[in-house]
Amino acid sequence: LDTPPDWAALRTKYFSVATIPKDSKADAIIFRGEEINVGNKAKLKRFEYDLQMPFRSDRAETKHAFTVYLGPLDFDLLESYNVELEKMVDLGPTIFRPFGKVILWTFGLLHKFISNYGLIIILFSILVKAVLYPLTKKSTQSMRQMQTLQPLMQEINEKHKNDAQKKQQETMKMYKDYGFNPLAGCVPMLLQMPLLFALFQVFRSTIELRQASFVWWIQDLSRPDTIAHLPFSIPLYGDTVNILPLFMGITMFIQQKMTMKDPKQKALVYMMPVFLTLLFNTFPSGLNLYYALFNLLSIMQDKLMPHPPPKTVEELKAQKPKPKKRRRLKHDYRGGFSK
C-alpha cells in the first residue's frame, strides 16, 4: 500500500474479523488465500492475513498492542471504533451510501419500538410515500395534462413529419407556450432510483435483516421468499417460484394501467411489469415487499385522492403568458437616454 494501513480485516457476507494496531501503524499487510477440496466436488476458501509491524533494533524487545474485533457487520458497532471499520458494510457506490445510511438509521429507530422488520418495511414505505406525495401529485397532473396536448402534438408531427429538427423546435415551443414541463412526470421516479438501489444493498448485505422473519412463508427478508423449485431454469427468472415478485408485478401493472393513457406507451404497461417481475425474482424479499407496497399505496392514492380534471386546450390558451413589452429608450436633450 502507498500509506501505512490503519487496520487489516477479512469479512464474509455478515461477519468480520479485524486487527487494529493501537500504538503505531503497520508497515504492510500480507493477504493469502487458497481453495480446499472437501470431497464431493465441494470446495472451501480459506483466507488469512499478516500485519507487518515496525521493529526497533536498538531495543531488547519491541511490544505492540492490538484491538481485535470478531463479530457482525453492524454499521453502528463498527463505526464506534472510530477507524472507519464501517466501510466494510457494503452500501454500494459512494453516491448511494448516504441513502443507505439514512435507511439503516430509520430502520434502527423504528426497531426500538417494533421488533418485526416486515412491519418496519411497511411503515418505511408509507413514510417514503408521504414524503414524495407532493411530487407524485404534480407528476400525475403533468401526465394527465399531456393527454390534453396530444392533438396539438399530432398536428405538429403531421405538419413536420419530414423535418425532425423543425418538429422538435415546434414541440418545445408548444411546451413553453402552454407552461408544460415534460420532465415533471419523471422527477418522482428519478428520486426513487437512488433509494431503490440503496434499499437493494441494505437488504442484500446488512446483518439487520439476516434471518428476520415477517409472516407465514417469509422467514428471511434478506433472501427470496421461495415456495417451490422448478425442474428447469428460466433465463433471467431462475428456477425458484417466489410470491412477492409476482405480487409486485401485478401491482405495477395495475398502477401503470391507471396512469398511462397514451396509446404509444401501451406496450410499456405490459412490458415493464413482466421484465421487473423476472428481474426481481432473485432479489431479497424485503425489497420486493417494499416495492409492492409502494405500488399498492400509489394505487390507493390515485383512487382515494381527488384529482382536478386536466385543463382543456382553450383553458391552456387562456392562461398562456403574454410576452412582455420592451421599454424603448428616449433620447434626452442633455445627451443621455431615459426610459
Side-chain angles (χ1 to χ4, degrees), residues 93-297:
T94 304
I95 190 174
F96 298 132
R97 286 186 69 87
F99 293 92
K101 291 179 181 179
V102 171
I103 294 169
L104 284 177
W105 180 85
T106 307
F107 280 11
L109 180 63
L110 293 174
H111 195 251
K112 293 179 181 179
F113 309 98
I114 305 171
S115 60
N116 190 308
Y117 270 106
L119 296 178
I120 290 175
I121 293 174
I122 294 175
L123 289 177
F124 183 77
S125 62
I126 294 174
L127 178 63
V128 172
K129 192 64 183 176
V131 172
L132 293 179
Y133 173 71
L135 290 173
T136 306
K137 182 179 179 181
K138 189 174 181 179
S139 172
T140 304
Q141 293 174 348
S142 176
M143 293 176 66
R144 294 189 174 191
Q145 202 61 65
M146 189 71 173
Q147 301 170 24
T148 306
L149 297 177
Q150 282 299 319
L152 298 179
M153 293 186 66
Q154 291 177 1
E155 291 180 9
I156 293 175
N157 291 334
E158 293 176 3
K159 185 177 180 181
H160 304 286
K161 59 183 178 180
N162 297 324
D163 191 343
Q165 184 177 0
K166 186 66 175 178
K167 181 168 63 176
Q168 183 179 9
Q169 291 175 351
E170 289 296 320
T171 302
M172 298 306 296
K173 183 177 182 299
M174 179 193 67
Y175 289 155
K176 183 179 179 181
D177 290 344
Y178 293 104
F180 178 77
N181 183 6
L183 298 178
C186 304
V187 172
M189 181 58 70
L190 292 176
L191 290 177
Q192 289 181 58
M193 291 307 293
L195 182 63
L196 188 62
F197 282 119
L199 281 167
F200 173 74
Q201 288 297 130
V202 168
F203 292 144
R204 187 176 69 107
S205 60
T206 57
I207 198 169
E208 283 79 3
L209 295 174
R210 175 178 177 263
Q211 298 179 354
S213 62
F214 179 32
V215 292
W216 303 316
W217 75 98
I218 306 175
Q219 296 300 317
D220 190 345
L221 289 167
S222 67
R223 298 173 60 86
D225 59 317
T226 304
I227 61 168
H229 291 269
L230 300 174
F232 52 86
S233 180
I234 301 174
L236 192 64
Y237 183 79
D239 61 351
T240 58
V241 179
N242 305 305
I243 298 298
L244 286 176
L246 297 174
F247 179 55
M248 183 277 299
I250 292 172
T251 55
M252 186 177 186
F253 171 75
I254 296 173
Q255 181 199 6
Q256 293 199 344
K257 190 77 172 176
M258 293 170 59
T259 55
M260 288 188 179
K261 302 298 183 181
D262 187 358
K264 295 181 180 180
Q265 297 178 332
K266 186 177 181 181
L268 292 176
V269 176
Y270 298 92
M271 290 176 57
M272 285 302 295
V274 172
F275 173 73
L276 289 182
T277 299
L278 295 174
L279 183 65
F280 276 48
N281 189 60
T282 56
F283 284 8
S285 56
L287 181 64
N288 280 301
L289 177 62
Y290 165 81
Y291 207 14
L293 286 170
F294 195 88
N295 292 338
L296 190 61
L297 290 171

Side-chain angles (χ1 to χ4, degrees), residues 141 144-149 178-179 308-320:
Q141 293 174 348
R144 294 189 174 191
Q145 202 61 65
M146 189 71 173
Q147 301 170 24
T148 306
L149 297 177
Y178 293 104
K311 295 180 180 179
T312 62
V313 176
E314 288 73 18
E315 290 174 333
L316 290 174
K317 287 182 179 179
Q319 71 175 21
K320 181 179 177 180

Side-chain angles (χ1 to χ4, degrees), residues 22-55:
K22 296 182 68 175
D23 51 2
S24 63
K25 293 186 177 182
D27 289 334
I29 307 173
I30 300 176
F31 286 99
R32 289 186 293 273
E34 62 177 338
E35 284 188 344
I36 304 173
N37 294 321
V38 293
N40 297 326
K41 297 183 179 180
K43 293 183 179 181
L44 296 179
K45 291 184 178 181
R46 175 183 175 180
F47 298 96
E48 57 185 29
Y49 63 83
D50 293 338
L51 273 177
Q52 290 187 352
M53 300 301 296
F55 175 73

